[in-house]
Amino acid sequence: MKNAKGNLAQVVPAPAGVSKKEDLARAGSRRVDNSSRARKSNNGDAGYNRRTDPKKGFRCSPAGLLRAIRKCKLRDPERTIWLKAKSRSLCASWRFTALTCVLTIFALFGDDFRLAITHLRTDDLFNALTIISCIVFTIEVLAQSLGQEEYFLGFFFWLDLISTITLALDLTWVSAELFCGQGDNDALKTSRAGRAGARASRTVRIIRLLRLVKLYKAYRAAMEKRREEEAKTQQLIQQLQPGEEIIEAQEGKSEFEVDEDGAEEDGIIGRNEEGKEDDGPKAEMRVGKKLSDMTTRRVIILVLIMLFCLPQFNPESDGNLVTSTVKFQESASFGADMVYSRWRDWCGSDGNSSHSPWCLQQAALQASYLDNGAEAQERWTNRYFLEKALLSFIYYHHSGSFFWKLYWIGAFSRNNLDTESNIGNLASLGRRDLLGERYEEELKVENWDDLFGKNGGWVDNTEPLSSSAKNRLTAPWAERCRLAVGVVVAEESRADGPEGCSITEELRCTEVEYVQALSISNTEEDSFSYVFAFDQRHNTQLEAGLSIMQTIFICFCVGLGAVAFSKDANELLLHPIERMIEKMETIKDNPLEAMRLGDLEFRREEIEQARFREKLAQMNSFWKLLYKYRPAQKSKEPMETVMLEKTIIKLGGLLALGFGEAGAEVIGQNMKGIAAGVDALIPGQKVDAIFGFCNIRNFVDATEVLREKVMLFVNQIGEIVHGCIDDFHGAPNKNIGDSFLLVWRLSGSSEDKQTKLADMALMSYVKIIAEINKSRVLAQYRQHPALQQKMRGFRLEMGFGLHCGWAIEGTIGSEFKIDASYLSPIVNVTARLETATTQYKVWVLISHCMVNLCSHDVALNCRLIDHVTVKGSRQPVRLYTIDLDVDMLDVETRGPERIIRNRFKIRQLREVRKNEKWAEEYLVYEAMRTNPDIQLMRSSYSDEFFQRFAMAYRNYEAGEWMAARDMLFTCHYQPKPDVGRRLVKSEAEWPPDGPTVTLLKFMQKHDFVPPQDWLGHRQLMEK
């Protein structure tokens, strides 16, 4: 685009989700801003910006930085989506992946390469590369945090963060500041700290090795994608027609490259047989990915713990940060060299001579005793320094706060084994003939503690020698151990006891360490050598204790790792599978329990949430934030096992809903089998039950008016019917358009329970009638214009039939479609009773079998209205009804105070109500007597009405139809003053009661004269 001056105006492409109009508008605003800034710059000081003054340099205040961050609009949803897409693209880019691979290798080996090959002058180059690595890894952490849902504050987030921070130890100025001292007085401590820091940096560098896991995963993903692309290519080659070619992948694309929107592109473009594009590579299952990630985490943590902790159990390891025995080993070897150096000055040879030293030659030794010249003085001086060095070595090593303690000192000569006693005499200390009078006086035994036992600036105070050790050192050395003769310098009780080697008698071979001078030739060693035996029982005991702790630690780590691995497998796979099997067993044993599986699962989740909230309440703010973030991340993408478990619950619920009680046997039989096929056509079984049938009146007319909304109309009625039936322990069986078949199973129940079920069945009908007339939802249809036009004064009415008896429970249909239901004349009679409610103009018709099954108090609420034979039944049936005046009820003006929208919570409350009805304290007749709706509906009927109708009915059944007629004429709901005092001349003057009118019309057909074959019952003609 060109601006007013003809220059090209740069238009920055809009982020994803921004329209072209908005893009142009933003470009226009940028042009306006640029022009305004240009005008300001042309106004001299008015356009002067002090923050960009080249003389003062660039300055940025915190307020300006905050304003710049606000301008980014990070809270804008479109900008957030765009930023996440760019972050995913960056992480998936093969160039960025290759860069991180190279920098990871540099982070692992760069510092060691610098120390091994390069000079100090190249350190700046390595520092620059290290800083670049830190920046790139920081960008990677930020991009992963924005692009991946479960990365931020996750395991790999902390791993990457720590490994990035440890790169600072590779910067030379950082390591110099931390581990290298500046003063000369601390040179030794600085050297030790430097070595310790080097060991620590090498140990911490192990964490960076774990970045190779990410490289391996990226490599594996690339290889899998390549294999899938090769498989696609082979498939396309097989599908090619003669002359067709494969569309090759675009050049320059890598398996890591993605589009700007973050979606991966396949290298090969192909279509399947239907002309649709082939699906991409199958995504890894979340369960497998989660289990793999968690296993990787456990292995990483276990390896890190082992690498950090195992060196601590080895006292001789450089990685031991607590204690180390290597330093004292160096002290012992250096001291032995000092002692032998003094021996060489006194009685040594040049190391290459084959002649024996003069002190080992008897004649030369005897001659030295008589010589008092200058040569003798020199020998006495050298002997003095030898004994002084030996005593210093003994005093500094026989006791102290270290692991090795000098136990035994000896001397040997391979070339002079026959002069063993002479070697023992020669090695003894404090001899005047070898020291001279002056030095013998200075090195008296009484002066040893003063000369060598005082602290001469050493870290540890030296302990004085015991008197027995002094006596052994001044006496000829006579204890033979191996080829040497010597004495015990430690406080040993048996040193002056029986003959033998104290070392072999008191110390194990692993508890003694022999030290000799290192700067000694083979010839000198053959002629004479000192040997020092150190007691390392403290070291051995420490190693044994650490070995025990190491074994316990390894067992603990292995056990902890096994528990962690099994915990992951249990949580992600085994426990969900066990719960699935448990649910399948529940469905197999009792298919109807499948309806409760969702409730139980909801209750389990509620308990887990309550525990989580309780645990959360005991934490501080940081852990609360972390614990709230992690479950939120987990709930975004549920595992496949959880989805499968929920699916089983849903399928079980759908089976129970679809088949009901009648299909429970079919479900159970098929679930018990091991075959994959479904055998739905199984024999039925005979059961005893209460059957209810209800029908929506005027349904055909309502269907014509409501059309598509008739389904909603029926379901609203069904919700009330099924809910009331379930509350009173019934089960809906079939929904036949405008009719519902309802069942209360009696088989397997005691007589008392059967009676209570009969009472609750009748009570459920009464509740249904009350609820459908009070419902605000159903009351809206009374004002429906089309319904009122079709049926003036429309009001929802239903008919109910109730009967009990036997039936065959099973499935009906074929392998293509089956229905679980009941077959029996009893069911047909129930349906005909419901149909007859229209003739009698009552809501409910109940058979005498049902009334006889009810309790006496509940049966008293029923009125006997006729005695008929129904088609399909040979035995006549006495018909009862329960009188209810629904006009007395008002429509509810408001809903419940507390609306519960969670259906599982609703089910739980419903189960509580259902269980309360089985309690002995719950009596159905008491509930009917105290229910305000029932009492209001029955308040229109007086006791006189029931008495007059009962008398009239007895006359009717006895064949006294004239008397019955006269009495029926007086059956008004409420007493009238002129009842029975005037003649009833037309049907308009008949009472409004439906059963009364039905009986009068039937008798009127026979002129109120019973037939000759009258047996007290008639045939019900209507179906």
Side-chain angles (χ1 to χ4, degrees):
M1 296 179 62
K2 292 186 177 182
N3 53 19
K5 295 183 179 181
N7 298 325
L8 292 175
Q10 182 181 2
V11 180
V12 180
V18 180
S19 63
K20 292 184 177 180
K21 293 182 178 180
E22 295 176 350
D23 189 13
L24 293 174
R26 293 178 181 180
S29 63
R30 284 194 292 269
R31 291 197 301 271
V32 173
D33 294 339
N34 292 334
S35 61
S36 62
R37 283 193 291 268
R39 286 193 300 271
K40 289 182 179 180
S41 62
N42 294 330
N43 291 334
D45 294 339
Y48 177 73
N49 189 354
R50 293 185 178 181
R51 295 191 181 274
T52 58
D53 184 8
K55 295 182 180 180
K56 295 184 178 181
F58 184 81
R59 294 182 301 170
C60 182
S61 65
L65 181 61
L66 290 176
R67 284 194 297 269
I69 294 176
R70 290 193 187 99
K71 289 182 180 179
C72 293
K73 299 181 180 179
L74 295 179
R75 294 184 179 180
D76 186 6
E78 294 181 355
R79 182 59 60 89
T80 303
I81 295 173
W82 175 80
L83 191 59
K84 288 183 177 180
K86 290 296 182 182
S87 300
R88 286 192 294 269
S89 301
L90 178 64
C91 295
S93 172
W94 69 271
R95 296 180 180 86
F96 189 75
T97 304
L99 177 62
T100 54
C101 290
V102 172
L103 293 180
T104 299
I105 295 174
F106 170 78
L108 292 175
F109 305 106
D111 194 59
D112 293 332
F113 182 82
R114 175 181 65 86
L115 296 175
I117 298 178
T118 63
H119 190 267
L120 175 65
R121 290 187 295 271
T122 62
D123 285 357
D124 292 338
L125 174 61
F126 283 89
N127 289 336
L129 293 176
T130 302
I131 293 174
I132 293 173
S133 301
C134 290
I135 295 173
V136 172
F137 290 152
T138 303
I139 293 173
E140 183 188 18
V141 171
L142 293 175
Q144 294 275 17
S145 301
L146 292 173
Q148 292 187 8
E149 293 293 338
E150 298 184 0
Y151 178 81
F152 183 64
L153 295 182
F155 176 80
F156 289 101
F157 168 80
W158 295 111
L159 201 64
D160 292 342
L161 184 63
I162 294 173
S163 61
T164 303
I165 293 174
T166 56
L167 283 174
L169 297 176
D170 291 349
L171 297 173
T172 55
W173 61 79
V174 175
S175 58
E177 187 69 26
L178 291 176
F179 306 122
C180 299
Q182 302 296 331
D184 295 336
N185 295 332
D186 295 334
L188 179 61
K189 295 182 179 179
T190 300
S191 176
R192 294 176 180 174
R195 290 195 297 270
R199 289 200 302 268
S201 63
R202 285 195 297 269
T203 304
V204 172
R205 198 177 303 162
I206 296 170
I207 300 177
R208 302 176 201 164
L209 286 170
L210 304 178
R211 293 187 61 87
L212 296 177
V213 176
K214 299 176 68 176
L215 302 183
Y216 167 73
K217 294 179 72 175
Y219 172 77
R220 187 179 63 178
M223 291 300 101
E224 288 180 356
K225 186 170 183 180
R226 177 172 297 178
R227 285 194 296 269
E228 290 172 356
E229 290 179 351
E230 291 176 356
K232 284 184 179 181
T233 305
Q234 294 297 329
Q235 183 180 4
L236 287 174
I237 291 174
Q238 295 175 2
Q239 296 176 357
L240 283 179
Q241 300 295 330
E244 291 184 350
E245 295 181 357
I246 301 179
I247 302 177
E248 297 292 341
Q250 297 178 2
E251 295 183 358
K253 283 276 187 175
S254 171
E255 52 268 11
F256 292 105
E257 191 168 359
V258 298
D259 294 334
E260 290 186 357
D261 57 355
E264 297 183 2
E265 288 188 354
D266 295 334
I268 298 175
I269 303 174
R271 293 184 178 271
N272 54 21
E273 296 179 356
E274 290 79 14
K276 298 179 180 178
E277 293 186 1
D278 292 334
D279 295 333
K282 294 182 179 178
E284 184 181 3
M285 290 182 61
R286 286 192 289 270
V287 173
K289 181 180 178 182
K290 185 71 174 179
L291 187 59
S292 175
D293 289 345
M294 296 185 75
T295 303
T296 304
R297 296 178 191 179
R298 301 291 187 263
V299 171
I300 288 172
I301 293 174
L302 187 60
V303 170
L304 287 178
I305 291 175
M306 301 288 279
L307 289 175
F308 276 112
C309 296
L310 285 182
Q312 312 308 319
F313 298 104
N314 185 7
E316 298 180 359
S317 173
D318 287 339
N320 194 310
L321 303 178
V322 180
T323 182
S324 177
T325 61
V326 179
K327 300 176 184 178
F328 185 74
Q329 296 177 18
E330 297 173 354
S331 173
S333 300
F334 179 76
D337 285 342
M338 293 287 293
V339 171
Y340 195 80
S341 176
R342 295 301 182 183
W343 162 266
R344 187 183 291 116
D345 294 339
W346 177 63
C347 184
S349 60
D350 56 1
N352 297 320
S353 175
S354 60
H355 299 287
S356 176
W358 67 266
C359 60
L360 297 178
Q361 301 176 14
Q362 191 66 24
L365 185 63
Q366 292 293 335
S368 67
Y369 296 157
L370 303 175
D371 186 9
N372 293 324
E375 186 177 354
Q377 294 293 332
E378 183 181 358
R379 290 179 178 177
W380 291 341
T381 303
N382 291 334
R383 178 70 184 192
Y384 166 76
F385 285 113
L386 169 63
E387 292 192 9
K388 188 175 181 181
L390 187 60
L391 287 172
S392 299
F393 184 87
I394 293 171
Y395 267 89
Y396 293 149
H397 294 89
H398 85 283
S399 179
S401 58
F402 36 77
F403 292 106
W404 288 16
K405 296 182 180 180
L406 184 62
Y407 181 81
W408 187 87
I409 182 173
F412 75 95
S413 174
R414 290 191 179 93
N415 298 333
N416 300 277
L417 296 177
D418 55 342
T419 59
E420 180 178 309
S421 59
N422 294 333
I423 293 176
N425 291 328
L426 192 65
S428 62
L429 305 180
R431 290 178 54 178
R432 174 174 293 188
D433 53 351
L434 297 179
L435 287 172
E437 183 177 358
R438 182 170 67 88
Y439 292 120
E440 188 268 340
E441 185 68 24
E442 185 176 346
L443 289 180
K444 280 186 178 181
V445 176
E446 294 81 2
N447 299 333
W448 285 4
D449 293 341
D450 294 334
L451 292 174
F452 308 105
K454 292 183 179 180
N455 185 0
W458 293 86
V459 177
D460 295 325
N461 293 324
T462 56
E463 297 292 336
L465 282 174
S466 63
S467 58
S468 59
K470 295 176 181 178
N471 294 333
R472 288 193 292 271
L473 288 171
T474 55
W477 295 5
E479 186 174 278
R480 181 178 177 81
C481 292
R482 296 186 178 181
L483 299 178
V485 292
V487 293
V488 177
V489 297
E491 294 183 4
E492 184 62 61
S493 60
R494 73 166 308 282
D496 299 323
E499 296 181 358
C501 180
S502 299
I503 297 176
T504 58
E505 294 294 333
E506 295 296 328
L507 300 178
R508 301 181 180 93
C509 62
T510 58
E511 295 176 347
V512 61
E513 182 72 20
Y514 295 97
V515 176
Q516 289 181 263
L518 297 178
S519 58
I520 184 174
S521 65
N522 293 332
T523 304
E524 288 177 326
E525 185 178 5
D526 292 338
S527 62
F528 184 87
S529 178
Y530 280 107
V531 60
F532 303 94
F534 283 87
D535 178 8
Q536 55 173 359
R537 278 180 289 190
H538 291 291
N539 185 34
T540 305
Q541 291 170 359
L542 176 64
E543 288 181 348
L546 290 177
S547 179
I548 294 173
M549 295 177 62
Q550 180 180 4
T551 304
I552 296 174
F553 174 75
I554 293 175
C555 294
F556 174 76
C557 288
V558 172
L560 186 64
V563 170
F565 293 144
S566 62
K567 178 176 178 293
D568 297 338
N570 288 337
E571 289 183 353
L572 294 176
L573 288 176
L574 297 183
H575 287 170
I577 292 175
E578 289 176 357
R579 290 198 298 267
M580 293 178 207
I581 295 175
E582 182 181 355
K583 290 174 174 61
M584 297 298 292
E585 292 290 336
T586 301
I587 296 173
K588 180 180 69 175
D589 296 336
N590 186 4
L592 296 180
E593 283 294 314
M595 295 292 296
R596 299 179 62 249
L597 292 179
D599 304 340
L600 297 176
E601 186 68 17
F602 173 71
R603 190 176 305 168
R604 184 182 67 83
E605 293 176 357
E606 273 192 335
I607 293 174
E608 291 180 356
Q609 291 177 1
R611 291 176 180 173
F612 174 76
R613 288 192 295 268
E614 182 179 354
K615 185 186 297 185
L616 201 63
Q618 301 174 358
M619 298 179 180
N620 55 28
S621 302
F622 173 75
W623 289 108
K624 281 183 180 180
L625 178 63
L626 184 61
Y627 265 69
K628 285 181 179 179
Y629 175 78
R630 298 305 297 170
Q633 293 295 107
K634 292 180 180 179
S635 61
K636 288 184 178 180
E637 292 188 355
M639 299 293 107
E640 286 83 359
T641 51
V642 177
M643 297 168 63
L644 183 57
E645 186 178 359
K646 303 289 187 183
T647 303
I648 291 176
I649 295 174
K650 294 177 182 178
L651 289 177
L654 289 174
L655 284 174
L657 281 174
F659 284 89
E661 287 190 354
E665 187 67 22
V666 178
I667 300 173
Q669 289 293 336
N670 281 274
M671 294 291 287
K672 291 177 182 178
I674 60 174
V678 177
D679 184 14
L681 305 178
I682 62 175
Q685 61 177 347
K686 185 178 180 180
V687 295
D688 293 328
I690 299 172
F691 298 98
F693 211 87
C694 59
N695 179 268
I696 304 172
R697 294 176 183 171
N698 303 316
F699 183 74
V700 176
D701 296 333
T703 303
E704 293 177 357
V705 173
L706 297 176
R707 296 182 181 275
E708 295 86 358
K709 295 183 180 179
V710 72
M711 301 299 293
L712 179 63
F713 175 65
V714 174
N715 290 336
Q716 289 169 347
I717 298 173
E719 183 180 4
I720 295 175
V721 173
H722 292 176
C724 292
I725 295 299
D726 184 75
D727 279 345
F728 290 91
H729 295 274
N733 178 254
K734 290 179 67 176
N735 303 319
I736 317 170
D738 59 341
S739 302
F740 304 96
L741 177 59
L742 316 168
V743 182
W744 288 261
R745 285 188 70 166
L746 301 176
S747 298
S749 302
S750 61
E751 292 185 2
D752 294 339
K753 192 173 182 180
Q754 290 181 3
T755 299
K756 196 161 191 176
L757 279 173
D759 292 346
M760 288 193 290
L762 183 58
M763 180 67 173
S764 66
Y765 270 10
V766 178
K767 288 288 292 181
I768 292 172
I769 296 169
E771 292 298 327
I772 62 176
N773 283 278
K774 290 169 50 181
S775 171
R776 292 184 299 166
V777 177
L778 296 178
Q780 295 177 0
Y781 293 98
R782 301 179 191 178
Q783 285 80 36
H784 196 284
L787 287 176
Q788 291 296 329
Q789 183 178 4
K790 183 77 174 179
M791 296 167 285
R792 187 172 299 276
F794 172 80
R795 181 169 182 169
L796 175 63
E797 294 182 357
M798 296 182 69
F800 299 86
L802 202 58
H803 191 29
C804 63
W806 65 272
I808 303 301
E809 181 185 75
T811 56
I812 306 169
S814 65
E815 61 178 341
F816 302 102
K817 177 67 174 70
I818 60 172
D819 287 316
S821 188
Y822 298 86
L823 295 179
S824 170
I826 303 299
V827 180
N828 296 334
V829 170
T830 306
R832 297 187 188 282
L833 292 181
E834 180 275 320
T835 304
T837 56
T838 305
Q839 177 184 351
Y840 289 95
K841 296 181 181 179
V842 293
W843 285 87
V844 185
L845 280 181
I846 312 167
S847 68
H848 69 277
C849 301
M850 181 66 192
V851 174
N852 294 336
L853 188 61
C854 293
S855 62
H856 176 72
D857 295 317
V858 172
L860 290 177
N861 293 286
C862 300
R863 174 168 59 120
L864 177 61
I865 60 173
D866 207 348
H867 193 192
V868 299
T869 56
V870 183
K871 185 177 180 180
S873 176
R874 297 179 182 179
Q875 298 295 328
V877 180
R878 283 189 168 88
L879 302 182
Y880 290 79
T881 188
I882 181 167
D883 296 289
L884 301 170
D885 186 6
V886 297
D887 293 332
M888 300 296 295
L889 295 176
D890 295 327
V891 178
E892 293 177 338
T893 57
R894 61 178 183 177
E897 296 181 359
R898 181 186 177 190
I899 299 177
I900 302 175
R901 302 192 181 278
N902 192 308
R903 60 187 182 91
F904 295 111
K905 192 70 174 179
I906 295 174
R907 284 183 180 275
Q908 289 182 354
L909 297 175
R910 183 179 296 167
E911 288 295 324
V912 172
R913 293 198 306 267
K914 289 175 64 175
N915 293 331
E916 290 176 352
K917 292 181 175 63
W918 281 124
E920 295 181 358
E921 295 79 11
Y922 181 80
L923 301 175
V924 178
Y925 74 89
E926 283 291 337
M928 295 180 70
R929 186 177 62 84
T930 57
N931 188 284
D933 294 334
I934 299 176
Q935 293 302 313
L936 190 61
M937 288 189 292
R938 292 183 60 83
S939 62
S940 301
Y941 304 94
S942 62
D943 294 337
E944 181 180 340
F945 163 72
F946 291 116
Q947 294 170 2
R948 288 180 179 274
F949 186 86
M951 185 181 297
Y953 178 78
R954 285 195 293 270
N955 286 299
Y956 160 75
E957 192 171 333
E960 300 293 334
W961 285 13
M962 295 300 294
R965 182 200 65 179
D966 295 338
M967 185 57 66
L968 288 173
F969 284 158
T970 64
C971 292
H972 294 276
Y973 295 147
Q974 295 295 334
K976 291 188 176 182
D978 59 344
V979 63
R981 298 180 182 179
R982 59 183 180 86
L983 295 176
V984 177
K985 297 180 180 180
S986 63
E987 293 183 8
E989 298 179 358
W990 289 2
D993 182 50
T996 300
V997 173
T998 302
L999 293 181
L1000 287 173
K1001 285 185 177 181
F1002 172 70
M1003 291 187 293
Q1004 187 180 34
K1005 290 180 181 180
H1006 297 82
D1007 295 330
F1008 298 100
V1009 176
Q1012 295 293 329
D1013 58 349
W1014 176 251
L1015 298 177
H1017 57 83
R1018 67 187 181 93
Q1019 184 177 4
L1020 189 64
M1021 301 303 297
E1022 290 81 358
K1023 294 184 179 181

